[in-house]
Amino acid sequence: MTRLYMAELKKKKKTKTECHLWRKLRVCVATCNRADYSKLAPIMSGIKMHPDEFGLEVVVLGSHLIDDYGNTFRMIEQDDFDIGSKLHTIVRGEDEAAMVESVGLALVKLPDVLQRLCPDILVIHGDRFDALALATAAALMNIRILHVEGGEVSGTIDDSIRHAISKLAHYHACCTRGAEQHLIAMCEDHSRILLAGCPVYDKLLSSNHRDDYMDIIKSWLGDESQESEYIVALQHPVTTDIQHSIKIYGLMLDALLSFNKKTLILYPNIDAGSKEMVRVMRKKGIEQHPNFRAVKHIPFEQFIQLVKHAGCMIGNSSCGVREAGAFGTPVINLGTRQTGRETGENVLHVRDADTHNKIYHALELQFGKRYPCSKIYGDGNAVPRILKFLRAIDLNEPLQKTFCFPPVRDCISQDIDHILETQSALAVDLGGTNLRVAIVSMRGEMVKKYTQPNPKTFEARMQLMLKMCADAMQDTVCLNCRILGVGVSTGGRVNPQEGVVLHSTKLIQEWSSVDLRTPISDALHLPVWIDNDGNCAALAERKFGHGKGVENFVTVITGTGIGGGIIHHNELVHGSTFCAAELGHIMVSLEGPECSCGSRGCIEAYASGLALQREAKRLHDEDLLKVDGMDMKLTEPITAAHLINAARLGNSKADAVLNKASTALGIGIVNILHIVNPTLVILSGVLASYYQAPVKRIISERALDSAQKIEVVTTDLEEPALLGAASMVLDYATRRIY
């Protein structure tokens, strides 16, 4: 700041805040090892892209500067970052005492560097002992600290270090809602906590696909290596139980040797016990074994491609329970090092990894599988949120931290503008006529809806569905919604466990044995749930409609076809071959009209919209449909509505058709009542209001006495298929029970 400017400032009596707005925010990012650099690099790039707002200083210390660990400071230079200071802070020995001495050495060297740089903000990541030294020095020197990825729980001494750093830090950028709640429970001021997501996910999701990934695989594992036919192994010592972690490491190597697959194994980190683990590796001849490639360091952009295309990842690295979830890569987490981490369904825990056979069996279960992509740790927008957070920091606020006592319960997460990001679902309804996509909030509100005619061919349908979903995802930023996942409602028989449409209806051609989950998950990087439209209607009623709080009920959709769903003991019934609740194909006559399923006498053949339309056309062709007072245009297509209108105006032929349809539907529902004995029947679809009274009458005439008092209502939901698709996401994405 020049003397001339200071004179002008004094002359105009500008405030300290105005002075702060005039100059750049000096941000120092300190990185200790290859793992934390992968999380900090996206933030550093974001800061560097705004030179008019931020001044970036980079401090490198810890294992970055050690040859045995790859001299990884070079990758920082290769990324075109100027390293302002390099501090050799590691005391070799790889035992507990060496870790303590390393912290002390860092505390001796850091004050001179921080005093020279004089940053406004020091950005620290994670839970390493080096980071604890950084936080301690900065806090004692009255330098504001932004802690990235605090509040998480991993089950080792790292927790204690991480939480200690959080208590020293002034601001927090955390990854998950659970971590946010932990920080609040630790009495951190929730106005200084940003739920940002993991910065590395910004890079993961933007560079998810690389055309040269096979070149990367072959360069590290050999020319004969194939996608999904190799394992990535990365195991670190647990410093609170070094001997046990060494034993687990040996058992893992034995299991990998027996499993006999190409394996890329990275050396452990510099924590106490790593030297002994390397000895175990060498004793077993891993470095010379033809199936193994042992390496000290892999550039991050190449490493994520190796993880993405691996048949399995094994060990106890946080990468397995965090980053690997973005690709759906199967992971085996060994021991207790990551106990407590939030994980996607791709992670199989072997906490008591006490035998070679147990680990081998886990490899048999996981190798070669693919799982839905998980965005628990980020949605690709962490860095913009963090930069926005940094811009809003007022350097004139008191430096002294304040704590919130008691902890705030169920605090609403807010960004720096105190605007709630609405947790929402992306719902897709694949109908016979239209393809609809909607953004649905946790309360069941349609934030925005998109509708397009459903193409006839498979390729066009998939292309349109993915485009509509992508367009909706772009709109979520402006609408301030955070999408938790995608729910798809479709006609036909569905295997919801695999996300596959097994057999479709005739309304949606070329739609059998179709894997819907994989292309949607790969395109959007979101978990995906899929179910039959009738089942989705039942889920919608359970969460938002008449079925809320009802333990046993049945939904019946009366639309173009007849479908439905059964909720029994609060759970959706799928059946052994996912054929349960095919209510439209309950037979009510042995010699009835032909049904779309190929059988005869089904409810759908009598009471569906298509069946009524067919009868209306027959009467029209025989000149028996139109009656006095009925307005019909010559060019107007004949529909079920004309049949209903004719019956209301006294057309006996139309009335007879509708009476037969109502009776068929009523008898079918009586059969349902006698089989599953629900307490409630909910009718939905365009014909629901017409069928309600006749169905009640048939039940009173034909049901057993104990079933005659069962209530029959029409739905209050305008979009049960979309709401049901959304409810799968809103229920399962927030449940996270594995």
Side-chain angles (χ1 to χ4, degrees), residues 58 131 151 259 411 476 531 558 612 619 627 682:
V58 180
F259 201 65
C411 177
T476 59
D531 214 327
T558 58
L612 297 184
L619 291 177
V627 294
I682 305 169

Side-chain angles (χ1 to χ4, degrees), residues 339-576:
T339 299
R341 291 269 195 203
E342 297 173 79
T343 70
E345 60 184 281
N346 63 311
V347 178
L348 175 64
H349 290 284
V350 186
R351 293 187 174 91
D352 297 321
D354 49 3
T355 67
H356 152 268
N357 287 337
K358 189 181 290 185
I359 300 173
Y360 185 89
H361 185 56
L363 285 165
E364 287 183 317
L365 289 173
Q366 286 286 78
F367 187 79
K369 280 189 176 181
R370 301 314 294 180
Y371 290 90
C373 300
S374 167
K375 293 178 73 173
I376 293 173
Y377 284 95
D379 60 1
N381 296 301
V383 171
R385 293 189 183 107
I386 291 172
L387 295 182
K388 186 179 179 183
F389 191 74
L390 287 170
R391 292 185 188 103
I393 291 175
D394 183 358
L395 298 181
N396 294 303
E397 285 184 347
L399 183 67
Q400 177 59 49
K401 283 185 65 172
T402 57
F403 300 101
C404 297
F405 300 101
V408 179
R409 290 188 177 183
D410 299 327
C411 177
I412 297 175
S413 173
Q414 50 198 6
D415 66 14
I416 199 62
D417 292 326
H418 308 288
I419 300 173
L420 176 66
E421 276 192 322
T422 306
Q423 288 196 84
S424 306
L426 198 61
V428 179
D429 177 29
L430 190 72
T433 304
N434 291 320
L435 200 162
R436 300 183 301 157
V437 173
I439 302 168
V440 182
S441 75
M442 190 67 78
R443 295 180 179 178
E445 298 164 347
M446 294 280 177
V447 180
K448 190 168 183 180
K449 188 166 67 172
Y450 314 76
T451 303
Q452 292 284 348
N454 201 353
K456 300 301 181 185
T457 65
F458 172 83
E459 292 79 7
R461 191 178 303 124
M462 289 295 298
Q463 185 177 2
L464 177 62
M465 180 169 55
L466 293 175
K467 181 182 183 302
M468 291 174 70
C469 288
D471 291 345
M473 288 296 295
Q474 287 185 342
D475 290 344
T476 59
V477 178
C478 299
L479 296 169
N480 212 34
C481 294
R482 187 179 290 246
I483 299 298
L484 301 175
V486 183
V488 182
S489 167
T490 180
R493 189 160 63 92
V494 176
N495 179 343
Q497 297 171 2
E498 301 293 335
V500 173
V501 180
L502 301 173
H503 302 292
S504 183
T505 66
K506 289 187 176 180
L507 300 176
I508 312 173
Q509 300 296 324
E510 300 179 0
W511 207 244
S512 296
S513 300
V514 174
D515 178 5
L516 283 183
R517 173 180 289 166
T518 300
I520 299 174
S521 180
D522 286 350
L524 303 182
H525 313 293
L526 285 167
V528 179
W529 288 268
I530 299 162
D531 214 327
N532 167 270
D533 50 8
N535 288 337
C536 285
L539 293 173
E541 295 293 344
R542 183 181 69 176
K543 189 168 184 67
F544 303 114
H546 291 301
K548 194 171 184 179
V550 179
E551 189 174 2
N552 300 287
F553 68 89
V554 173
T555 58
V556 181
I557 304 174
T558 58
T560 307
I562 300 289
I566 299 171
I567 300 292
H568 184 64
H569 295 317
N570 293 318
E571 294 295 332
L572 186 65
V573 176
H574 282 105
S576 60

Side-chain angles (χ1 to χ4, degrees), residues 22 60 104 108 154 206 285 297 462 546 592:
W22 176 80
V60 172
V108 169
S154 57
S206 64
H297 168 67
M462 289 295 298
H546 291 301

